Amino acid sequence: MSVQKIQVAVIGGGLVGLSTALCITESLPQCSVTVISEKFSPNTTGDVAAGCLIPHTYPDTSLHQQKAWFKKTFDYLFKIANSSEAREAGIHLISGWQIFKSPPKETHPFWWQIVLGFRMMKEAELAKFSSHTFGQAFTTLKCQASQYLPWMEKRFKGNGGYLVSRKVNDVWELHSAYDVVVNCSGLGSRDLFGDQSIYPVKGQVLEVNAPWIKHFIRDGDGTTYIYPGISAVTLGGTRQMDDWSCLPNAKASKGILDRCCHLEPSLHGVSVIQEKAGMRPTRSALRIEKDILIRNGQQLPIIHNYGHGGGGFSIHWGTAQTATKLLQELIPSLHKVYSKSKL
């Protein structure tokens, strides 16, 4: 009699699903992991994101937990940025300014000790921004999504993982083939698990050809930003609650360009390479927890990891580690000797 691997299905092939699946394969070799998703890169929400590590705040998740997730993610990506994998993974350091029209209540955000070289901007630096009176300067990390997501896919498959392109209409479809389901379906959790507390916040960005831009600029409210990348500069953005459209809007694009030109006048007349839009799966608190579904006397263990909204890149590896730990806690009840085929 042989001990067979725990069969794990991860629903969702975006940033959160891929990172969670990769983390499981790197931490729990007793598991065989399959990612099941209707979409993979370059057609996920993560592919739209600028990928700059500046945390958002989740109102109903403790700041202590958010800080821990950010630190784990920053440390993980910083290690890659300082390795031979950096070029392929599309991860690099980026320095710049976060500026405010009036000083925020907290001059030092909860994550200030994790980024590099955090300090208050000097008067000479603020002179560049006539409408702003306060600012912070620091160095953080940026992920080029078009490279980072395929890099994770490659590592995942190299670890023996599987990718399956299909839509899951009912989570019980997976019961006969998998021992546990890890739910990273984002907005899909509304239909799959009846979670009506998650909703879309549409985000739109422009990719422009502006190689002279070397520093990021982010307005403190987070709606206007300029992030230089490897092959283009990302200009953003928008936050449109309950907008289910993934199509770019011309009026929104003009608004983004106008606001970014106000912050950085050299962008006037810049060449737009691409307009992109996506739906951020938003929740007041991330849902990362174990769950047990029961139907007709049968049980299906679930681990949820979703609701990252617009802050996924900043905390994705930390939340992947938390989800992996929850799976590890389930293993004693899942890891068994098969004497017959699973019904």
Side-chain angles (χ1 to χ4, degrees):
M1 294 174 65
S2 61
V3 177
Q4 297 194 13
K5 287 193 171 187
I6 300 297
Q7 299 297 315
V8 179
V10 176
I11 305 177
L15 173 68
V16 175
L18 274 181
S19 58
T20 303
L22 177 59
C23 189
I24 294 169
T25 63
E26 293 187 350
S27 307
L28 302 175
Q30 62 270 57
C31 294
S32 175
V33 186
T34 301
V35 176
I36 304 171
S37 184
E38 193 176 8
K39 295 178 180 179
F40 290 95
S41 184
N43 300 310
T44 72
T45 297
D47 289 282
V48 178
C52 195
L53 270 67
I54 302 176
H56 292 223
T57 301
Y58 303 91
D60 296 331
T61 298
S62 76
L63 284 182
H64 175 77
Q65 179 64 84
Q66 293 181 56
K67 184 177 180 179
W69 284 332
F70 179 54
K71 179 168 173 48
K72 288 178 180 178
T73 304
F74 193 95
D75 290 349
Y76 173 74
L77 294 176
F78 186 71
K79 187 175 180 180
I80 298 170
N82 288 303
S83 77
S84 59
E85 297 282 313
R87 181 179 178 183
E88 184 180 356
I91 300 170
H92 61 95
L93 289 164
I94 181 173
S95 298
W97 303 290
Q98 179 165 248
I99 54 177
F100 300 82
K101 291 182 178 177
S102 59
K105 290 181 180 179
E106 300 289 340
T107 58
H108 287 63
F110 71 88
W111 43 264
W112 76 272
Q113 292 171 303
I114 298 170
V115 297
L116 308 178
F118 184 95
R119 61 176 175 80
M120 301 302 113
M121 285 173 66
K122 298 175 183 177
E123 189 174 333
E125 293 171 296
L126 276 170
K128 177 175 172 59
F129 307 105
S130 58
S131 300
H132 297 75
T133 64
F134 181 85
Q136 303 150 342
F138 55 92
T139 298
T140 187
L141 288 154
K142 188 176 185 301
C143 297
Q144 184 79 27
S146 59
Q147 293 176 224
Y148 183 55
L149 296 177
W151 178 82
M152 280 201 294
E153 283 188 18
K154 181 180 176 181
R155 283 182 67 92
F156 171 67
K157 289 189 285 188
N159 291 346
Y162 303 94
L163 301 177
V164 175
S165 297
R166 76 175 180 89
K167 183 177 181 179
V168 177
N169 294 300
D170 184 339
V171 69
W172 283 95
E173 298 169 10
L174 308 177
H175 179 262
S176 62
Y178 299 97
D179 300 296
V180 60
V181 172
V182 181
N183 172 37
C184 303
S185 65
L187 289 170
S189 297
R190 288 173 67 97
D191 293 331
L192 283 175
F193 297 94
D195 185 355
Q196 298 303 305
S197 68
I198 189 165
Y199 58 92
V201 175
K202 182 179 179 180
Q204 185 166 319
V205 298
L206 307 179
E207 287 190 351
V208 302
N209 183 27
W212 61 89
I213 302 294
K214 304 298 183 185
H215 290 76
F216 74 79
I217 304 170
R218 182 181 189 269
D219 197 296
D221 64 7
T223 57
T224 304
Y225 49 81
I226 300 166
Y227 293 136
I230 293 172
S231 57
V233 176
T234 301
L235 309 182
T238 63
R239 290 180 182 170
Q240 296 159 268
M241 289 181 58
D242 291 316
D243 189 330
W244 290 85
S245 169
C246 283
L247 296 176
N249 177 279
K251 184 177 179 180
S253 290
K254 183 181 185 304
I256 291 168
L257 193 54
D258 288 347
R259 284 184 279 117
C260 289
C261 285
H262 179 73
L263 293 182
E264 179 53 66
S266 70
L267 289 170
H268 279 285
V270 74
S271 172
V272 176
I273 300 170
Q274 190 177 9
E275 298 172 283
K276 298 193 295 186
M279 293 181 291
R280 308 177 183 100
T282 303
R283 220 170 170 268
S284 64
L286 274 74
R287 188 181 185 189
I288 308 183
E289 63 183 5
K290 288 181 281 190
D291 192 10
I292 299 287
L293 299 186
I294 299 174
R295 179 187 285 182
N296 299 328
Q298 295 182 313
Q299 294 188 348
L300 181 58
I302 308 290
I303 293 169
H304 296 288
N305 181 15
Y306 67 91
H308 294 63
F313 273 93
S314 293
I315 59 172
H316 69 280
W317 193 255
T319 59
Q321 288 183 324
T322 297
T324 299
K325 184 178 179 182
L326 294 176
L327 174 58
Q328 187 174 21
E329 292 170 0
L330 280 177
I331 283 178
S333 63
L334 296 171
H335 203 25
K336 51 198 173 187
V337 177
Y338 283 72
S339 58
K340 58 183 179 179
S341 298
K342 187 174 179 180
L343 296 177

